[in-house]
Amino acid sequence: MIIRDVASVVLLSLGSLFYVAGTVALIRFPDVYARLHGLSKADNLGLGFVAMGLMIRSGWLVAAKIAFVWLFVLMSAAVSAHLLARAAYRAGVPVTTAGGGPEHGGAAGGRWDGGGAAGTRSQGGGAAGEPGSAP
Amino acid sequence: MTPGSAFDSILAVMLLALAWRMLSTRDLFQAVVLFISFGLLLAVVWARLGAPDLALADAAIGAGVTGALFLAAFGSLRSGEAAPEPPESTAERLARLSAVPLCAALAGIILWARAMSMAPSPVLGPLLPAAVEAAAATSPVTAVLLDLRAWDTLLEVAVLLVALVGGWSLRRVVGAAPTAVAFPPSQLLTSLTRLVVPVAVFLAGYLWWAGSTRPGGAFQAGAVLAASLILLLLADRLAPGRLSNTPARAVTSAAFGLFVLVALASLPFGRPVLDYPEGAAHALVLIVEAALTLLIGLILGSLFIDGSRTMDRREDAGS
């Protein structure tokens, strides 16, 4: 069963790689929307690879349970990311546009997180109390 | 150092680092999120220590429901920063500096008592085979919780009931706000709720049933039930008033009353309280666990909505 072990290790390492990519997205992306986007995609794919790596070395019943776990995490992570982005949008967190420089009408020329003219909502919506920078 | 112990030491260091960061940060939202991750890491630690029941309970209640409670409380605050603290007085400074030596002294006393091999309190280990023989439950955790130490569980649940009443008294406006959320929920959340809540209720039922023979039981099932209640409240599919109206209170009282009834039912037969008759022990444990599941689910769900600011919306009309 050497090929099964090798395949399992390869899949698990691939999954960890995706998790590292998601963490890099969390640290490096400019605002909460980009972070949520990168994190949810990379982490779900990473979990899929980890799940596959574990499934090929388990019996049928355990593999089916792992598959269900992945399915539910996929659903809940997608909805959670959507809800977080929605709450941040309602709270008025500015979306970082592609340029962010003076041509976008902001005095915040050159700031990496300067909100452009597009996509900024100045009205604070629901008083959910969540600040923009999700950790 | 084996890979296992290397992983364990990394876990331990991460736990301490998370705890320190959580306590020292000024941003309350960050503290809440760190608390949730701390709870999840603690669940991994319990799994490493070979205690799956504790891992389940910690992930569901410690990280999940308590995290939701913290977030609901956080939403009720005006600002996201902790209030600036006044400079500490001499007494406070003295207390803070003497904490470490006192804790070290306590630890030393405990270690010395252990080294002197003072007799430990009567352990439950030798009693377990007899409880399993009586077929109360094959899972040792459930056997301890609901057979050998059922009195403790009964009092625990009574304390939870007191917390429930305390939560009800937190609401300043008599009569509940019609919804639990401030603005209409997302369609995605509503769809997810429709999909997940039936599965969660089914899972709670499975955990209740499996608690007799493997990791599971009333507390974990109750936590899953509470999670589905919270999901329903957030998706605006459940009016918060339905968690504290008369039928809900009737169900709560009936569930606790059932536990008390089972506890006292052995008295007329000349046996002590909570002494299950042999042969009926398994069924009685299952019945009591079912009542506990309902109770814990209702209590945790109610605590979530009682701490939420939207319940007092009528008072905030002017502000």
Side-chain angles (χ1 to χ4, degrees), chain B residues 46-312:
Chain B
W46 288 126
R48 279 295 290 165
L49 289 173
D53 292 70
L54 282 171
L56 277 174
D58 214 297
I61 303 178
V65 178
T66 313
L69 287 178
F70 271 132
L71 282 173
F74 176 79
S76 308
L77 294 175
R78 286 292 180 194
S79 76
E81 287 271 321
E85 296 170 3
E88 56 178 358
S89 64
T90 336
E92 287 171 342
R93 186 182 179 81
L94 194 65
R96 181 169 60 87
L97 288 175
S98 62
V100 171
L102 281 178
C103 289
L106 185 62
I109 292 174
I110 294 174
L111 286 172
W112 169 75
R114 186 80 179 85
M116 300 286 283
S117 299
M118 295 187 177
S121 54
V123 293
L124 296 170
L127 293 170
L128 270 178
V132 170
E133 265 303 308
T138 322
S139 157
V141 174
T142 310
V144 168
L145 272 181
L146 283 162
D147 192 8
L148 297 173
R149 288 289 180 268
W151 181 241
D152 294 346
T153 310
L154 182 63
L155 294 181
E156 246 174 52
V157 178
V159 169
L160 278 180
L161 272 182
V162 173
L164 177 67
V165 175
W168 285 340
S169 63
L170 270 182
R171 288 195 262 125
R172 291 172 287 169
V173 178
V174 174
T179 61
V181 293
F183 44 82
S186 152
Q187 186 61 40
L188 224 57
L189 180 61
T190 316
S191 309
L192 180 77
T193 307
R194 270 204 213 105
L195 208 59
V196 161
V197 166
V199 176
V201 170
F202 181 72
L203 185 65
Y206 170 74
L207 282 173
W208 160 71
W209 181 258
S212 310
T213 50
R214 62 193 85 130
F219 289 89
Q220 292 82 351
V224 172
L225 211 58
S228 35
L229 277 179
I230 292 177
L231 202 55
L232 284 172
L233 285 167
L234 286 176
D236 207 12
R237 310 293 291 175
L238 179 70
R242 296 182 80 175
L243 281 179
S244 56
N245 59 3
T246 318
R249 295 182 192 206
V251 167
T252 313
S253 323
F256 186 65
L258 187 63
F259 197 175
V260 173
L261 195 70
V262 168
L264 297 175
S266 54
L267 279 179
F269 297 93
R271 307 158 71 97
V273 175
L274 281 171
D275 192 11
Y276 306 130
E278 293 95 17
H282 183 76
L284 282 176
V285 162
L286 273 180
I287 291 173
V288 166
E289 282 209 302
L292 279 183
T293 305
L294 271 178
L295 207 53
I296 291 168
L298 268 174
I299 290 175
L300 291 176
S302 299
L303 282 178
F304 174 77
I305 196 60
D306 288 333
S308 167
R309 187 166 191 87
T310 34
M311 291 299 289
D312 301 324

Side-chain angles (χ1 to χ4, degrees), chain A residues 2 10 18 30 33 66 77 81 87-88 92 94 112 114 120 126 129 132-133:
Chain A
I2 195 80
V10 164
F18 273 101
Y33 308 103
I66 296 178
W112 64 273
T120 307
S133 51

Side-chain angles (χ1 to χ4, degrees), chain A residues 44-120:
Chain A
N44 283 336
L45 207 52
L47 184 67
F49 278 117
V50 167
M52 274 196 277
L54 292 175
M55 266 161 49
I56 64 178
R57 51 163 67 218
S58 322
W60 287 111
L61 203 57
V62 179
K65 288 182 195 171
I66 296 178
F68 270 118
V69 164
W70 180 48
L71 214 64
F72 280 118
V73 170
L74 220 60
M75 285 195 293
S76 60
V79 176
S80 311
H82 162 76
L83 290 176
L84 279 172
R86 191 167 179 258
Y89 191 63
R90 280 176 173 268
V93 176
V95 183
T96 308
T97 53
E103 70 269 16
H104 284 267
R111 267 184 60 189
W112 64 273
D113 63 344
T120 307

